[in-house]
Amino acid sequence: MPFWLFVGLFSLALALFFTHPWLMRYEINQAKADSLQRLGAYKTSLLATIDRHLYLPRVLASDPRIVNSLGSLEEGEAPSPGGFPTSRLLEQINRKAGSDEIFLMDPDGTTHYSSNYTTEDSFVGMNYGFRPYFRDALAGAPGFYFAVGATSGIPGLFLSAPVYAESGKTQGVIVVKIDLRKLEQSWKASGDAVWVTDKRGIIFLASSAKWHYTTLQPLSDEVKSELAETRQYGNGPITPLKRVTEWQSDDWSTLDLNADGPQLVFGSSIPGYPWQMHHRMPLAEVQTQVQWKQSMTVLLYAGLAVGSLFYRERRRRTHAQNALARLTAERESHQRAIIQNTDVGLLNLDDRFRPLYLNERARRLFRLGSDDTFSDPSELIQPWHPEEAGNGSSRAEGVSSDGNRFPILYTLNPIRVGEHNEFILTVQDVTELTAAQQALQEANRVLEHRVQERTRDLEEAQAELAQNQKLAALGRMSAAIAHEINQPITALSNFVASSQMLLARNKIESVNENFLKIEGLVARLSKLSRQLRIFSGKRNTGSAFVSLQAPVHYALELLGQRLASEQVECHQSLPCDYQVRANAMVLEQIIVNLLTNAVDALDGQADARIDIRLIELETSPGKVSLSIEDNGPGMGDEQLSHVFEPFFTTKPMGKGLGLGLAISYSLACDIGAELTVSSRPGKGTCFSLILPIASAEKRENHS
């Protein structure tokens, strides 16, 4: 082997040996920078979750309803079971705030009211006086404490505040519990390994639950005793993680996580809280990077081409970073242009609601000059409710610099900028919208007034039409009565005149024949008068529980001789003897009228037939139908529409008065029945009497 080659290989081996530790630290520092950048995003999400509820205990502690509920306990009043209605109030606030639980304790640490008062794990009656968040709040300081729930076993962040009486005395502690498990699930979904430790190095939040309540460093006996007393992390042991002897530093730690192997753990403090957030990555990844770079070093010795390639890559990266910086600047400029030209006023406020930035639309809206400013949004918006931040739009009045007032909609939303809290206030002028709404309301009032007027006109017209219909019906009835009476009276006059002439001629037999005819006409007028009295007079409607078969048998017996003489075949289908509540005589009269009408319709009909059927209706449970159907000539639609009208008849002149069906219909209404008709020309006509069946229970009660 040539000497120079041996020297070159020896020099390369020495270079690799001595540069390995340096490369390892370099890559670890690079990994640290990347981890800190990632931790910034995770810290922002954690702080946003906490800050969203941080104000809630102080707000609740000043609520008069909560203060009065504790005051009633001090006066010796016993709380109702479950603490109604205070526990229900806490439940409603808890649901709206999105927190896990809210509960209220007395100065001894006993919980009297809780949002979970209806659950099996209710806090009501439990004493949490041993918890630090209780002792801190009782001492007048806001409580901030992460722990595993002593009752529910569910970990969470406890925020507490003292509740003062009007005298200034601390009469209790209000506590809000926040569940951070959803935040852990989002960490797990991101694929990064993230831990959060307390001031003693104990892991209580992690993207993987198996690292819960392990510690990055051994715990002293004093700390173990304190944890056992407060039960901060439950009753289980706190297991310390094993440290690797090499690759340790003040800026990171290296731990042996068994199956996961050696891991680099980078920590970053969380501002304002006694916690640290950690990101871990396998040490093998860094070693792989170092091995790769050492391989690159070997390749550098192989030729200038590799060096040139590496230089070009670095240069390309620099150009990319410069391009990214230019793109970022252009994007910021573009976003500012959008903000300046938007149609709504935008105001950026700090955490004390002092102005940081106003766009041009906001200045024009409130008529502010380029140098004009304000110290509080209440100068521009009345009423101003900063406590409604994040709850959507609110309606108010805008006040311009010249004192002009105009209707607006404003929205106040919190944002997180780095480590600071800020607010975005959007303001929209709704003057035109308000005027349009008022115009629409006025139009609706006018329209409602017109509708009322038209309704009154229609009601008056309807009443007038009903009166006209009554008069028309009365006129038709008067004409029909006059027609029915006029013929017998005319005939009587003729027979009287004829009888006088016959008497003068001494024709006694002819006179007797005239008298017989006059007697028939008088009987016809008497029958007409009697039926009119039945139709228009007050009838006896007294009712009882009667059989439906009995009146059918009565009518058939009454009309039996006529049925036989006119050769009308009558078929009965009466399978059950149904009981109905009706007047027996009225029911008999209706069936006799309907059966008589059917016999009259079959006059001269070959194969005359009447079917009487009694069936229970399937379409109307609890009702029975008695139908009388003939196979006569039937009726058309025009005749059916008048069939129940007085003096309407299809019989030849002198054969009927047209009152039988009208009387039957009126009698059916009197006993609470329904009389219907159906007919087809050439097929016959069917009349159906529908009545409700009397139940056995009703018959027993009646008896």
Side-chain angles (χ1 to χ4, degrees):
M1 178 182 294
F3 178 77
W4 63 268
L5 182 57
F6 176 80
V7 173
L9 291 175
F10 181 77
S11 300
L12 181 58
L14 289 176
L16 293 176
F17 178 80
F18 287 106
T19 58
H20 182 267
W22 179 83
L23 286 174
M24 283 291 296
R25 293 190 176 276
Y26 173 80
E27 288 299 327
I28 291 175
N29 284 322
Q30 290 292 103
K32 175 189 173 184
D34 181 68
S35 295
L36 293 179
Q37 185 175 2
R38 295 187 182 187
L39 289 176
Y42 291 121
K43 285 193 291 184
T44 299
S45 65
L46 175 61
L47 292 174
T49 303
I50 296 174
D51 292 349
R52 189 163 55 247
H53 301 87
L54 200 58
Y55 71 96
L56 189 56
R58 298 194 301 271
V59 173
L60 294 178
S62 61
D63 192 322
R65 295 170 292 183
I66 293 176
V67 175
N68 293 337
S69 64
L70 285 176
S72 64
L73 293 177
E74 288 188 349
E75 294 173 3
E77 296 181 12
S80 59
F84 291 106
T86 305
S87 291
R88 185 162 53 236
L89 171 65
L90 296 180
E91 180 187 22
Q92 294 172 354
I93 296 173
N94 181 63
R95 185 169 56 253
K96 292 180 180 179
S99 52
D100 188 30
E101 300 295 347
I102 302 176
F103 53 99
L104 184 61
M105 298 182 290
D106 63 15
D108 296 328
T110 301
T111 303
H112 291 279
Y113 310 101
S114 176
S115 59
N116 65 350
Y117 66 102
T118 59
T119 65
E120 295 181 357
D121 298 330
S122 173
F123 295 167
V124 176
M126 306 301 295
N127 189 291
Y128 303 114
F130 60 90
R131 291 292 201 183
Y133 61 79
F134 171 79
R135 296 196 295 265
D136 291 342
L138 199 62
F144 184 90
Y145 189 71
F146 185 94
V148 175
T151 301
S152 64
I154 299 175
L157 179 61
F158 294 82
L159 306 175
S160 62
V163 179
Y164 295 107
E166 294 181 358
S167 61
K169 176 187 175 182
T170 303
Q171 60 179 0
V173 173
I174 185 75
V175 183
V176 177
K177 181 182 178 183
I178 306 171
D179 189 357
L180 300 178
R181 288 179 294 178
K182 291 185 179 179
L183 190 62
E184 290 180 304
Q185 293 173 1
S186 68
W187 295 348
K188 182 177 181 180
S190 69
D192 285 335
V194 181
W195 291 342
V196 178
T197 60
D198 62 11
K199 61 184 179 181
R200 292 160 297 202
I202 300 174
I203 300 172
F204 60 91
L205 292 176
S207 55
S208 177
K210 67 180 180 179
W211 303 115
H212 280 171
Y213 318 129
T214 57
T215 176
L216 303 184
Q217 58 191 14
L219 302 178
S220 65
D221 294 338
E222 180 181 358
V223 172
K224 292 180 181 178
S225 176
E226 177 186 352
L227 292 176
E229 178 185 356
T230 60
R231 288 183 284 171
Q232 181 176 4
Y233 301 120
N235 297 321
I238 306 297
T239 306
L241 298 176
K242 182 180 178 181
R243 283 178 170 265
V244 177
T245 55
E246 59 181 355
W247 307 118
Q248 298 289 346
S249 173
D250 295 336
D251 297 330
W252 69 82
S253 299
T254 307
L255 303 174
D256 186 3
L257 301 184
N258 298 325
D260 293 340
Q263 301 278 314
L264 291 168
V265 180
F266 305 98
S268 176
S269 299
I270 300 177
Y273 301 99
W275 298 342
Q276 272 201 334
M277 181 170 282
H278 304 267
H279 178 261
R280 63 180 174 86
M281 64 177 296
L283 180 63
E285 290 185 9
V286 176
Q287 292 173 336
T288 300
Q289 290 291 328
V290 171
Q291 291 173 2
W292 180 82
K293 290 195 174 182
Q294 286 184 330
S295 299
M296 289 297 297
T297 303
V298 173
L299 292 177
L300 283 175
Y301 279 88
L304 295 176
V306 176
S308 300
L309 183 61
F310 179 76
Y311 173 77
R312 187 176 61 181
E313 181 66 19
R314 294 287 296 180
R315 186 175 180 182
R316 188 191 64 80
R317 184 180 299 178
T318 302
H319 285 318
Q321 291 176 349
N322 293 336
L324 180 61
R326 289 195 301 272
L327 181 61
T328 301
E330 291 175 358
R331 182 173 297 176
E332 290 178 354
S333 176
H334 179 66
Q335 291 175 348
R336 185 170 292 274
I338 293 175
I339 292 173
Q340 288 291 354
N341 293 281
T342 186
D343 290 336
V344 298
L346 292 178
L347 298 87
N348 186 200
L349 311 176
D350 63 11
D351 57 350
R352 296 184 179 180
F353 304 106
R354 293 174 299 190
L356 298 176
Y357 171 76
L358 288 79
N359 70 346
E360 290 301 323
R361 176 62 179 174
R363 292 189 178 276
R364 291 196 302 269
L365 195 63
F366 294 105
R367 300 182 182 179
L368 298 173
S370 58
D371 297 332
D372 294 340
T373 184
F374 59 92
S375 59
D376 190 273
S378 61
E379 300 176 12
L380 305 179
I381 299 174
Q382 294 179 1
W384 166 247
H385 296 295
E387 68 276 3
E388 297 293 332
N391 291 338
S393 300
S394 300
R395 185 178 289 271
E397 282 191 339
V399 182
S400 60
S401 61
D402 56 2
N404 183 40
R405 290 178 174 266
F406 51 94
I408 62 169
L409 283 178
Y410 75 89
T411 304
L412 182 65
N413 290 312
I415 60 173
R416 186 76 176 179
V417 180
E419 299 180 355
H420 302 284
N421 292 324
E422 294 184 3
F423 294 89
I424 288 293
L425 176 61
T426 61
V427 182
Q428 184 177 4
D429 187 353
V430 292
T431 302
E432 296 181 359
L433 178 61
T434 303
Q437 290 176 343
Q438 293 175 351
L440 180 60
Q441 292 174 355
E442 181 62 27
N444 286 337
R445 285 195 294 270
V446 173
L447 180 59
E448 289 177 358
H449 180 69
R450 290 182 179 177
V451 169
Q452 292 175 355
E453 290 182 347
R454 296 294 172 86
T455 302
R456 286 195 299 270
D457 294 342
L458 288 175
E459 290 175 350
E460 293 175 358
Q462 184 177 9
E464 184 177 352
L465 177 61
Q467 182 64 23
N468 292 336
Q469 289 177 344
K470 292 178 182 178
L471 294 175
L474 183 60
R476 289 195 301 269
M477 181 177 290
S478 299
I481 293 173
H483 176 74
E484 289 292 334
I485 294 177
N486 186 56
Q487 288 181 349
I489 291 176
T490 301
L492 285 173
S493 299
N494 293 333
F495 283 131
V496 168
S498 175
S499 297
Q500 289 175 347
M501 294 176 62
L502 291 173
L503 284 175
R505 297 175 183 178
N506 200 23
K507 295 182 176 181
I508 304 302
E509 293 181 359
S510 298
V511 172
N512 289 333
E513 291 178 0
N514 285 348
F515 283 161
L516 292 175
K517 292 178 181 179
I518 289 172
E519 184 180 4
L521 291 173
V522 171
R524 178 176 175 86
L525 288 174
S526 177
K527 181 180 179 182
L528 175 63
S529 175
R530 184 169 59 256
Q531 287 192 341
L532 285 174
R533 286 198 302 273
I534 292 174
F535 180 73
S536 61
K538 183 176 182 181
R539 294 176 288 272
N540 179 17
T541 59
S543 61
F545 291 103
V546 298
S547 165
L548 274 178
Q549 289 186 356
V552 173
H553 294 155
Y554 168 79
L556 291 174
E557 182 180 356
L558 184 66
L559 300 175
Q561 184 175 359
R562 183 182 177 188
L563 292 171
S565 63
E566 297 188 15
Q567 297 182 354
V568 177
E569 185 178 356
C570 189
H571 293 269
Q572 304 177 51
S573 178
L574 308 174
C576 295
D577 189 10
Y578 293 100
Q579 295 283 326
V580 298
R581 187 176 181 86
N583 184 288
M585 295 182 63
V586 170
L587 199 58
E588 290 173 354
Q589 185 174 356
I590 294 174
I591 297 175
V592 169
N593 284 348
L594 295 179
L595 198 57
T596 302
N597 187 77
V599 174
D600 292 341
L602 294 172
D603 185 24
Q605 178 80 22
D607 299 329
R609 175 190 175 97
I610 296 176
D611 291 321
I612 303 176
R613 288 186 294 272
L614 183 62
I615 59 173
E616 187 173 352
L617 298 178
E618 295 181 356
T619 56
S620 300
K623 290 187 177 182
V624 65
S625 173
L626 176 65
S627 61
I628 299 175
E629 184 176 4
D630 62 69
N631 62 342
M635 293 181 286
D637 293 340
E638 177 64 24
Q639 292 173 319
L640 283 176
S641 63
H642 301 288
V643 71
F644 293 122
E645 292 182 1
F647 301 105
F648 174 80
T649 180
T650 59
K651 301 174 185 177
M653 182 67 68
K655 292 290 185 177
L657 300 177
L659 290 175
L661 290 177
I663 292 172
S664 298
Y665 186 85
S666 178
L667 292 175
C669 294
D670 289 343
I671 64 174
E674 181 182 358
L675 183 60
T676 63
V677 60
S678 61
S679 182
R680 290 184 298 170
K683 299 294 183 179
T685 304
C686 178
F687 287 89
S688 298
L689 183 65
I690 301 173
L691 302 100
I693 303 173
S695 63
E697 180 180 357
K698 290 182 178 179
R699 294 197 298 271
E700 290 176 0
N701 293 337
H702 179 75
S703 61

